[in-house]
Amino acid sequence: MAAQSVIGAPAEEVESFRLRARAWLAEHMPRLPEGVDNYHLMRDDEFGVRARELQRTLYDAGFAGICFPREYGGLGLSREHQQAFSRESAAYEMPVLFNVPTLSILAPTILDFGTEEQKRRHIPAILRGEEMWVQFLSEPSGGSDLAGLVTRATRDGDVFVLNGSKIWSSGAFRSDYALCLARTDWHAPKHRGLTMFIVKIHQPGIEVQQIRMVNGWNEFCQEFFDDVAIPAEDVLGQVNDGWTVASRLLIHERDAVGGASRYTSGLGAAGERSGSATGLDHLARATGRTSDPTVRQLVAEDRVHERVAQQLVRRVTTGIASGYFPPPAGAIPRLFAATANERHRDMALEIVGRGAAAWTEGDPVGEVSVEYLFRQGGSLGGGSNEMQRNIISERVLGMPREYAADKDKPFDEVRHNAAPSRVR
Amino acid sequence: MDLERSDDQELFRETTRKFLESTAPVSTVRQWSEKEAAGYPVDWWRRGAELGWTSLLVGEADGGGSVSGNGLADLALVAEEMGRLVSPGPLLMTNVVAAALSEAGTAEQRAAVLPGLVGGETVATWCLAEPGRPACGGEAVALEAARQGDRFVLSGVKGPVEAAAEAGHLLVTALVDGRPTQFVVPASTPGVTVVPLQGIDLARRIADVHLDGVTLGPEHLLGEVGDAAAQVERQLQVVVALQCAMMAGAVDEMFTRTVEYAFDRYSFGRALASYQALKHRFADMKLWLEAIHATTTGAVRSVGAREERAAELVSVAKSYVGTNATVILQDCVQLHGGIGVTWDHDLHLYLRRVVQERSLFGTPEEHRERIAAGMGL
Ligand SMILES: Cc1cc2nc3c(=O)[nH]c(=O)nc-3n(C[C@H](O)[C@H](O)[C@H](O)COP(=O)(O)OP(=O)(O)OC[C@H]3O[C@@H](n4cnc5c(N)ncnc54)[C@H](O)[C@@H]3O)c2cc1C
């Protein structure tokens, strides 16, 4: 089927695009070493240097931003083109570090709300691998109640002056820009006094501190803002209407984490586990348990979840597009991915058995138990499972909203958690 | 239900739904289950056949034809609607036999059997399972048809078989010289005895079929001797995809009714639907329900289009739907409170339907084993 490109010229057929991509990948992209996936490589690419180079290579060859509009450096092609490219690229090194959040969450939000100038400044730079982005949303005082944040931005002539702290921002130390939600009006009810800002991360007044995680990584960061001057032209959307921007960002985030985004490139974004180094089929082989009936059941159950996750994404995206589901139904694949991931971690632990307690350094079997420690990561990041369940029950099933003590009250009269403190 | 269905399919679905709602609401299904031998009046089935229930998997040359070009996808809409009202009738069994005959039958066989099935005057069933054996996978069938000149003699037990007592034709899967072979057997053939079992589903009848020196000629063979493996796999895929659609309809209906109940039922001065503990359970159920629809649609499309990956996708669906349909329904029982475990409430009819479909033609566990084998483990 011929897709229609943004500027109206008939686009390349998916099949011909696939074949062209196949040939190009074989000639220009480095092959993944046996038994290693891109997510493993990512760990060794601490500063994203390799990812930036690879992203640039894709861009120069005309394979970056497949679903992004052509006027901002993308290809303006369909989801099917992107899927075809992702499948073809499975055996190669890919800049997956750019997928979440840069390409799938922040770039689409900028496309939705950015001025022409903002879009031209940032989207092509992102696609060229020059800008990596993060989200500055959660704060030490709370993440689920995002609209209750207390970082402040005060207008002073042509600039806003930012003070406060953000936390859990993944990969901020290696990134260039952030979308930062801050409070600009303390007398308005909580949703109506927020503004979204484009913030350059490495600049005077911003201190970025890495936080060590249970698996030993230092992905998490906390930022401290000390009178940071943000030019007024870096407001994304309208002043005091940041909640509208944030809500849209959260939809992109849900799609990204749930596997429904069309802006990610390369495999492994959503639930594609089997075949990879930590796939349960691989573990069953590595532990010599392929004929154990219990293990066979677990491997198959994981495969079932992998397939159903993909089918569910298709159902929900089609249903939202046709109006059968309201947009918040994006929470459904998001919650599916998180709960399937929890189950995956449990099953992996079960398969490796005693091997979870001790292993030879570098053995993927051992990594399973370390990943088990991070089991809840996928159920918290991008809005916790509890928040997704609130969304599904209230905004898909229409059940009564939870009682909110801060509803319609000026924010400065609402009780909230203490201002930022340092987590060490 | 497939969200990408066509207008024609929607019209077809709507027609079946209206027919079922007006002729066989659940209260009627209950009455029929007590007074009708087969669980439904014969004339009712014939009227359903007029709507297309029995012709979608049959070739046009034999009086069949699909609505959308993918007859299985069309039939899945009927199965889902029938699940919604826990309807009686041998929908899956009659269709799988009709499809097999249409694909592999001789001109004489098709002429002898298909008009009756398509017209709804007779029904048929598939005898695959055998007591004590898994229903899917290589070891499903052990019944040997002994050669006797150019004839075959069958002795053994097939079962459980749905709709065996009402069926005019039995499609029997057996082995000849150890290799899968199928026979189309008139139910009146000497040596065939139907022994009723106590079935879990009140609306449908289930039995063992005893074969005692049943002697068949080459005219009873469906396809070549020893060459039925692919056809059996195809039949299994068709039945399992339809089972999932039927379970999806049953669970969807009861979930919808339980959500309504949660809005209407008050406790401590608030609707049940206002308690977060319960809202979160409803959210989980909604998640599983949509996943059930998604994977059923995936399997139906793939089997209908005869894709190579259909073998896996159908087992993925059966594993997921079979496991989660009962989980949802039992949670619906819990959220209804005491009324949920009474005979008068409809919940148990749905649970019965889902337990039957979950258990026949491969349990979720057996289908997971099939998936593992398919992954090369
Ligand atoms: C791997 C990972 C990556 C992340 N990346 C980023 C990032 O890049 N940028 C960023 O800004 N943030 C990021 N986060 C932060 C994440 O968004 C928050 O952790 C999350 O929103 C929860 O906020 P919290 O940690 O403050 O917990 P809290 O909001 O304090 O919640 C604590 C617990 O209470 C539950 N809870 C809270 N309120 C309710 C309620 N009303 N009803 C029921 N249950 C409730 C929550 O579900 C949770 O289980 C990341 C987190 C993780 C784990």
Side-chain angles (χ1 to χ4, degrees):
Chain A
M1 201 201 302
Q4 209 59 26
S5 81
V6 178
I7 55 168
E12 185 176 0
E13 300 277 339
V14 174
E15 228 16 67
S16 121
F17 181 73
R18 179 200 305 281
L19 295 176
R20 204 159 56 76
R22 182 178 298 170
W24 180 82
L25 283 159
E27 196 169 334
H28 299 280
M29 286 304 256
R31 279 203 161 260
L32 282 169
E34 190 67 33
V36 175
D37 60 34
N38 273 302
Y39 290 84
H40 276 75
L41 285 183
M42 201 162 97
R43 292 179 204 177
D44 303 328
D45 187 15
E46 211 196 333
F47 295 101
V49 177
R50 183 94 187 118
R52 287 169 191 263
E53 281 169 16
L54 292 171
Q55 181 66 32
R56 176 78 204 205
T57 308
L58 289 181
Y59 180 86
D60 288 341
F63 287 112
I66 293 171
C67 289
F68 281 82
R70 295 169 69 139
E71 54 268 51
Y72 306 115
L75 304 186
L77 295 173
S78 70
R79 183 188 286 274
E80 289 68 36
H81 289 82
Q82 178 58 66
Q83 281 167 350
F85 187 82
S86 291
R87 292 239 164 74
E88 291 301 325
S89 70
Y92 300 93
E93 277 191 47
M94 283 284 289
V96 292
L97 205 50
F98 272 87
N99 278 342
V100 184
T102 306
L103 288 170
S104 56
I105 305 177
L106 299 158
T109 308
I110 296 167
L111 282 178
D112 289 341
F113 293 99
T115 60
E116 195 53 31
E117 159 63 18
Q118 287 169 337
K119 289 190 272 193
R120 289 196 186 279
R121 181 146 34 108
H122 296 292
I123 303 293
I126 287 173
L127 297 180
R128 285 194 303 265
E130 289 159 13
E131 290 184 7
M132 229 180 249
W133 284 62
V134 286
Q135 330 179 48
F136 286 173
L137 300 176
S138 305
E139 300 188 357
S141 61
S144 299
D145 181 13
L146 179 58
L149 58 82
V150 294
T151 287
R152 105 180 28 234
T154 314
R155 179 131 208 176
D156 183 8
D158 289 346
V159 300
F160 284 83
V161 180
L162 188 68
N163 280 289
S165 176
K166 293 286 176 178
I167 196 166
W168 319 132
S169 24
S170 311
F173 64 95
R174 74 163 85 80
S175 302
D176 309 287
Y177 284 91
L179 281 186
C180 178
L181 192 62
R183 188 163 304 282
T184 36
D185 183 349
W186 292 70
H187 307 304
K190 67 176 182 180
H191 293 102
R192 296 208 287 271
L194 302 169
T195 302
M196 189 71 89
F197 295 95
I198 294 172
V199 174
K200 193 168 174 358
I201 298 173
H202 302 289
Q203 64 164 304
I206 299 185
E207 183 193 335
V208 180
Q209 199 174 79
Q210 285 178 258
I211 299 171
R212 190 157 191 210
M213 298 159 82
V214 283
N215 53 8
W217 297 16
N218 296 298
E219 270 299 286
F220 273 166
C221 293
Q222 181 169 9
E223 299 77 28
F224 301 92
F225 309 123
D226 187 9
D227 284 338
V228 183
I230 306 174
E233 68 252 30
D234 284 344
V235 168
L236 185 69
Q238 303 301 311
V239 174
N240 290 332
D241 193 30
W243 188 249
T244 304
V245 182
S247 303
R248 186 72 67 81
L249 181 149
L250 294 177
I251 289 176
H252 290 307
E253 174 167 54
R254 227 155 38 210
D255 287 350
V257 187
S261 175
R262 60 203 170 103
Y263 298 112
T264 59
S265 197
L267 284 190
E272 289 254 6
R273 284 180 294 259
S274 46
S276 80
T278 49
L280 296 193
D281 50 344
H282 180 87
L283 289 179
R285 290 197 179 92
T287 52
R289 299 185 66 186
T290 50
S291 52
D292 179 332
T294 310
V295 169
R296 296 171 70 84
Q297 286 287 310
L298 299 180
V299 172
E301 185 183 339
D302 207 43
R303 170 58 68 92
V304 168
H305 289 161
E306 200 174 285
R307 293 282 181 263
V308 177
Q310 294 157 354
Q311 293 164 330
L312 186 60
V313 163
R314 172 163 172 181
R315 177 175 177 83
V316 173
T317 38
T318 317
I320 291 175
S322 73
Y324 178 84
F325 290 119
I332 292 174
R334 161 73 182 86
L335 182 60
F336 189 94
T339 52
N341 175 63
E342 291 178 355
R343 182 76 185 126
H344 171 79
R345 299 273 184 239
D346 292 345
M347 295 192 290
L349 195 71
E350 195 172 333
I351 292 175
V352 302
R354 193 177 64 188
W359 60 92
T360 313
E361 174 131 40
D363 183 351
V365 170
E367 285 177 19
V368 162
S369 51
V370 177
E371 283 172 11
Y372 177 74
L373 304 179
F374 197 60
R375 179 183 186 267
Q376 299 311 123
S379 299
L380 288 165
S384 71
N385 286 3
E386 289 72 27
M387 291 303 111
Q388 308 304 328
R389 291 186 174 107
N390 280 352
I391 291 169
I392 296 169
S393 56
E394 294 176 359
R395 294 201 266 148
V396 179
L397 295 173
M399 292 180 160
R401 302 287 280 254
E402 287 301 301
Y403 165 74
D406 53 6
K407 192 167 187 283
D408 297 330
K409 267 197 199 167
F411 191 72
D412 47 11
E413 290 171 22
V414 170
R415 175 167 175 181
H416 43 75
N417 291 327
S421 58
R422 292 199 176 221
V423 175
R424 288 216 185 253
Chain B
M1 195 181 323
D2 192 337
L3 298 183
E4 296 166 58
R5 62 188 182 281
S6 69
D7 291 346
D8 287 346
Q9 284 181 310
E10 177 55 17
L11 183 68
F12 174 64
R13 187 195 65 78
E14 194 56 40
T15 309
T16 281
R17 168 177 279 204
K18 285 198 182 120
F19 176 74
L20 288 173
E21 280 173 351
S22 63
T23 59
V26 179
S27 54
T28 304
V29 173
R30 280 180 185 262
Q31 286 166 9
W32 286 352
S33 75
E34 283 171 14
K35 59 175 218 242
E36 295 287 344
Y40 57 89
V42 175
D43 187 56
W44 177 78
W45 181 253
R46 202 190 43 69
R47 288 171 63 200
E50 279 170 17
L51 299 181
W53 293 356
T54 51
S55 49
L56 294 160
L57 303 184
V58 172
E60 286 180 10
D62 296 311
S66 71
V67 174
S68 67
N70 183 336
L72 189 67
D74 306 334
L75 188 55
L77 297 171
V78 178
E80 188 172 334
E81 292 305 326
M82 287 193 145
R84 216 172 269 289
L85 289 182
V86 286
S87 308
L91 185 79
L92 276 48
M93 294 302 101
T94 294
N95 274 295
V96 73
V97 175
L101 271 162
S102 181
E103 281 170 25
T106 61
E108 292 77 32
Q109 286 171 331
R110 285 181 286 142
V113 180
L114 286 178
L117 297 186
V118 169
E121 285 93 27
T122 44
V123 302
T125 192
W126 180 21
C127 305
L128 172 70
E130 297 178 17
R133 310 191 73 84
C136 68
E139 293 99 63
V141 176
L143 176 70
E144 270 286 343
R147 286 181 190 267
Q148 205 176 73
D150 71 341
R151 305 187 73 72
F152 304 89
V153 182
L154 279 75
S155 286
V157 180
K158 282 290 194 179
V161 178
E162 189 197 320
E166 70 223 63
H169 310 277
L170 309 174
L171 174 58
V172 179
T173 306
L175 302 174
V176 173
D177 306 329
R179 305 192 48 203
T181 305
Q182 301 205 100
F183 298 93
V184 186
V185 183
S188 56
T189 309
V192 174
T193 319
V194 173
V195 180
L197 297 168
Q198 188 64 53
I200 185 79
D201 188 342
L202 300 178
R204 299 186 295 180
R205 307 290 179 252
I206 204 157
D208 277 340
V209 176
H210 289 244
L211 305 167
D212 188 11
V214 175
T215 305
L216 303 168
E219 72 278 13
H220 293 107
L221 277 171
L222 182 67
E224 302 295 319
V225 172
D227 201 29
Q231 188 64 44
V232 172
E233 168 66 22
R234 170 82 191 150
Q235 287 162 210
L236 184 75
Q237 290 180 13
V238 166
V239 172
V240 172
L242 292 171
Q243 285 185 310
C244 291
M246 191 169 272
M247 287 191 273
V251 178
D252 193 296
E253 174 68 17
M254 212 19 93
F255 175 75
T256 305
R257 283 164 69 173
T258 307
V259 170
E260 282 165 13
Y261 187 74
F263 277 94
D264 294 343
R265 178 95 177 157
Y266 274 63
S267 172
F268 299 90
R270 291 161 59 174
L272 294 182
S274 72
Y275 288 97
Q276 194 185 48
L278 305 189
K279 283 160 65 181
H280 282 195
R281 283 167 68 176
F282 277 105
D284 281 335
M285 285 194 271
K286 177 70 173 166
L287 166 72
W288 300 326
L289 175 65
E290 293 305 332
I292 282 173
H293 282 303
T295 193
T296 298
T297 300
V300 165
R301 280 204 200 118
S302 186
V303 174
R306 296 173 188 265
E307 293 177 349
E308 200 170 319
R309 60 185 185 145
E312 182 186 84
L313 291 186
V314 88
S315 288
V316 163
K318 182 68 189 269
S319 168
Y320 191 84
V321 179
T323 302
N324 290 285
T326 46
V327 171
I328 295 175
L329 286 182
Q330 293 291 17
D331 226 18
C332 288
V333 172
Q334 177 67 17
L335 292 165
H336 270 83
I339 190 100
V341 289
T342 61
W343 186 267
D344 278 352
H345 199 283
D346 290 342
L347 262 163
H348 71 110
L349 301 179
Y350 288 80
L351 205 42
R352 288 168 185 275
R353 172 63 44 106
V354 164
V355 169
Q356 173 173 325
E357 299 304 356
R358 177 200 187 282
S359 310
L360 299 184
F361 295 99
T363 61
E365 295 73 23
E366 288 161 358
H367 280 277
R368 282 195 286 274
E369 176 50 39
R370 227 171 89 101
I371 292 169
M375 289 173 77
L377 291 192

